[in-house]
Amino acid sequence: MRTYQNYISTGIRWNAEMPAHWDCDKAKRYFDNPKVINKDGKEKNVLSLTLKGVVRNDVDHPIGLAPADYATYQLFDKDELVFKLIDLENISTSRVGIVWEKGIMSSAYIRLKPRVSLNLRYFYYQYFDWYKRNIFNGLGAGVRQTLSAADLVNYQVVFPPIDEQDQIVRFLDWKTSEMNRVIHAKNQEIKRLKELRVVAINTAVTRGVKGYPLKKSGTSWLNEIPENWNMLPSKRLFFLRKDKAKPEDEQLTASQKYGVVPQQWFMEQEGRRVTVVFTGEDILKHVEKGDFVISMRSFQGGIEYSNYSGKISSAYVMLIPNHEYVYDRFFKWLLKSPEYIKALRGTSDLVRDGQALRYANFAKIDLPVVPMEEQIAIADYLDNICKRIDDAIEKVKKEIALIQELKTRTIYDAVTGKIDVRDVYIPAYEDVEDETSDEDSEEVETVDEEVDE
C-alpha cells in the first residue's frame, strides 16, 4: 500500500503527522454537543451503547441497570456519534458508536452532532481508533477516569477532504468486512470444538469409555448407565463438612474458571478486586484441600474442587468425598459436566442467579457408583481429549487475535493517513458486520461475594 507524498505535523501526540493537504482542528469546529433531556418522557425508544454498537434496549428486560423512569435520559437523533467515556480504566466499557435512529440514552453518554458536511462513518472510525489504542483512557480525570463532553470537543481531530473521507470509509468497510467474515468462520470453528467437548464430557461421565451394555439407571437425570455401574444417594458419596475457619486459614475464593483458589491469587490473575462483605470472622467456614464446594452459583457452572485448605464464606457448602466410592479426578469432571449442571438446575424452581444452592439441592441427585479403575480410565481419557480440544480452541483464538490486530492496524493506518487509499479499487463484497468475539461472548467470570478478613 502506498503512502502520501508529503506530511506535516499535527501537534497531536497520538497522531503526530498527517498528509499535507488534510486539515486538523478541535472537534468543536466540526461537531456540536447538544444535550436535550427527555423531560416530558415522550420519547420511548430506549437505546444502549454496547460492544456490538448502538442497539434498541428492551425496557422490560434492559441491558445493564435501568432507571426508575427515563425522564433523565437525553435525546439522540439519527446520524450522530455517541460515546461512553466513564470508568476509562476498564477498556471494555469506554467506546464509541453511531446512532442509527432517534431515541434516548443515558445522560452519562456524550452526544456529538455534525455541524459541517462530513462523513460520520469516517469520524466513527477515527474515534474507534482512539478507543482501540486506549487514547481515551489516558485523557480522563477523577477517581473513575471520566472524560467530559467539554474535554472531548476540545481535543483535535484530523479532517481529510470529503471525497477522501468517503473513500477511506469505503476502503475500511470492505477490509473490515473481509476480516469479519474470516473471524466469523473461526468463531464457528470454536463453537463446534466446544460442542465436541461437551459431548465428550457428557458421554464419558454418564456412559463410560469401556463400551459396556447399558441398563436403566432408575433416576430422572440419567436415563441409562453401564450395566456394571450403580446409583447411590449423593449423601453416601459425599459427607458435609461443618468446620469453622481456623485463625491461620488463608482467604479463598470460589471461581467457575479456576475452582477454589486463594483470593489474592485470583485478584492478581484477573486484575481486579473481589467484592467483599465486611462481617464477623466467626461465620467463615474451613475448607480442606480435596473438598468439593457448592458455591452460590453452582447451578451455572457446577461444583468446584479445592486444591487448597483455607477459609471461605458461610454461604458455601463443603463436601468431603468418600474415597470408597469417589476418585477425585473423575468427580471433578462429573460434577462440572453440562448434564449434571442441568440436573442441579432442576432441583428447585426457586434457583435464580444470585441465589444460593444448598446441600438439600445436592442431596436430591443420586450419583453413579463407578468401579475405581474405570473412574481412573475416564478421568485419564477426559484429561487427554479435553486438553487437545482446549489447545485447538486456543490456537484458533490466537488466529482471531492476529486478525483483530490487523483490523485495528488497518483502521489506524487509513484514518490517520499512514496509507493512501485514494486509488484503491473496491470490489463487490458481502457486508459482514463486526461480531463480539467468541471470547467476549462467553459468560463473564462469576465470583460469589466473599467475607473479608
Side-chain angles (χ1 to χ4, degrees):
M1 192 72 66
R2 71 177 188 175
T3 60
Y4 288 91
Q5 188 172 359
N6 297 307
Y7 289 84
I8 59 174
S9 175
T10 64
I12 305 172
R13 71 173 185 269
W14 56 85
N15 185 19
E17 60 180 18
M18 67 180 179
H21 64 287
W22 286 19
D23 199 1
C24 176
D25 208 337
K26 292 180 178 179
K28 62 185 177 183
R29 175 180 167 188
Y30 312 114
F31 292 94
D32 288 321
N33 171 231
K35 191 160 187 176
V36 182
I37 301 300
N38 188 38
K39 289 182 179 179
D40 54 13
K42 285 184 179 179
E43 182 56 59
K44 304 295 185 183
N45 186 26
V46 181
L47 306 174
S48 230
L49 179 56
T50 74
L51 289 174
K52 292 187 176 182
V54 176
V55 299
R56 288 186 180 180
N57 204 341
D58 186 341
V59 176
D60 296 323
H61 302 90
I63 300 168
L65 299 175
D69 62 63
Y70 293 92
T72 61
Y73 270 38
Q74 62 176 317
L75 292 168
F76 284 79
D77 286 326
K78 184 178 183 294
D79 296 331
E80 295 180 341
L81 293 178
V82 56
F83 300 79
K84 184 180 181 184
L85 300 178
I86 59 175
D87 191 18
L88 292 174
E89 291 184 350
N90 182 354
I91 185 63
S92 67
T93 65
S94 53
R95 50 189 176 270
V96 56
I98 296 177
V99 182
W100 301 107
E101 61 181 344
K102 185 176 181 179
I104 52 174
M105 280 188 271
S106 167
S107 58
Y109 290 178
I110 297 173
R111 174 189 181 190
L112 291 191
K113 182 182 185 70
R115 62 183 302 177
V116 299
S117 178
L118 53 78
N119 188 313
L120 189 70
R121 214 168 149 68
Y122 166 79
F123 279 92
Y124 162 76
Y125 276 126
Q126 185 172 163
Y127 282 120
F128 183 79
D129 169 57
W130 291 22
Y131 159 58
K132 296 303 287 186
R133 286 195 286 146
N134 296 353
I135 302 301
F136 293 123
N137 302 58
L139 300 175
V143 176
R144 294 191 64 191
Q145 286 292 297
T146 297
L147 194 64
S148 71
D151 294 328
L152 182 62
V153 296
N154 274 299
Y155 288 112
Q156 288 184 307
V157 293
V158 293
F159 194 97
I162 289 293
D163 59 339
E164 285 187 57
Q165 292 183 35
D166 294 341
Q167 175 64 1
I168 290 169
V169 167
R170 285 191 291 266
F171 172 79
L172 288 177
D173 284 351
W174 164 48
K175 282 295 186 181
T176 57
S177 285
E178 290 297 289
M179 287 183 266
N180 289 342
R181 178 178 56 80
V182 177
I183 291 171
H184 176 75
K186 291 191 176 295
N187 276 331
Q188 291 300 113
E189 185 178 349
I190 289 175
K191 182 180 178 182
R192 289 191 292 271
L193 285 167
K194 287 187 172 183
E195 289 171 350
L196 178 63
R197 192 180 193 276
V198 167
V199 171
I201 294 170
N202 276 340
T203 302
V205 299
T206 61
R207 299 198 169 198
V209 293
K210 299 288 189 181
Y212 289 113
L214 302 176
K215 66 180 181 182
K216 294 292 184 182
S217 74
T219 63
S220 59
W221 78 280
L222 283 179
N223 183 28
E224 294 179 318
I225 56 174
E227 63 180 8
N228 64 325
W229 293 17
N230 291 304
M231 301 295 294
L232 279 179
S234 54
K235 290 183 178 180
R236 294 276 302 277
L237 277 67
F238 291 90
F239 309 126
L240 188 61
R241 182 182 299 281
K242 298 181 179 180
D243 304 353
K244 287 191 175 183
K246 301 175 182 179
E248 68 274 14
D249 279 348
E250 181 179 15
Q251 182 72 54
L252 304 179
T253 286
S255 155
Q256 291 178 16
K257 184 187 290 186
Y258 304 110
V260 180
V261 294
Q263 187 179 91
Q264 185 61 40
W265 180 89
F266 175 84
M267 291 190 292
E268 291 170 358
Q269 288 293 115
E270 294 293 295
R272 62 186 175 90
R273 286 191 56 79
V274 174
T275 302
V276 295
V277 178
F278 294 94
T279 187
E281 175 96 5
D282 58 338
I283 70 167
L284 295 173
K285 291 182 178 178
H286 178 70
V287 183
E288 273 294 321
K289 181 179 179 180
D291 282 356
F292 287 78
V293 177
I294 303 176
S295 72
M296 293 171 66
R297 295 182 177 88
S298 283
F299 70 94
Q300 292 176 333
I303 295 175
E304 311 299 340
Y305 184 76
S306 183
N307 284 300
Y308 301 88
S309 294
K311 59 186 175 185
I312 205 161
S313 167
S314 62
Y316 298 157
V317 177
M318 269 52 76
L319 304 172
I320 307 169
N322 178 355
H323 288 120
E324 179 183 352
Y325 301 111
V326 174
Y327 178 64
D328 287 5
R329 281 200 300 128
F330 168 75
F331 274 87
K332 281 171 67 175
W333 286 110
L334 173 64
L335 297 180
K336 286 187 71 67
S337 67
E339 199 67 31
Y340 180 76
I341 293 169
K342 181 180 176 182
L344 272 182
R345 289 174 179 160
T347 59
S348 174
D349 293 334
L350 300 177
V351 174
R352 294 291 185 269
D353 190 14
Q355 294 189 19
L357 277 170
R358 302 299 181 188
Y359 185 64
N361 301 104
F362 171 78
K364 291 179 180 179
I365 306 172
D366 289 350
L367 293 171
V369 177
V370 182
M372 195 61 66
E373 67 276 7
E374 195 169 349
Q375 289 190 50
I376 295 170
I378 293 169
D380 287 345
Y381 167 78
L382 287 176
D383 286 349
N384 178 267
I385 192 69
C386 288
K387 183 182 185 306
R388 288 163 58 191
I389 294 173
D390 290 343
D391 288 346
I393 290 172
E394 285 306 310
K395 182 175 181 291
V396 179
K397 285 182 178 180
K398 287 178 180 178
E399 293 170 354
I400 291 174
L402 288 173
I403 299 169
Q404 294 283 20
E405 287 178 16
L406 176 60
K407 184 164 67 169
T408 298
R409 179 69 199 202
T410 301
I411 293 171
Y412 165 71
D413 285 344
V415 299
T416 60
K418 299 295 183 293
I419 56 175
D420 182 357
V421 302
R422 287 176 293 182
D423 296 328
V424 173
Y425 169 70
I426 311 296
Y429 65 92
E430 179 186 359
D431 184 22
V432 181
E433 292 185 359
D434 193 6
E435 64 174 22
T436 302
S437 71
D438 183 77
E439 180 76 10
D440 291 337
S441 65
E442 289 177 353
E443 186 173 288
V444 174
E445 165 69 357
T446 300
V447 180
D448 298 330
E449 290 185 342
E450 295 291 343
V451 181
D452 203 5
E453 295 186 51

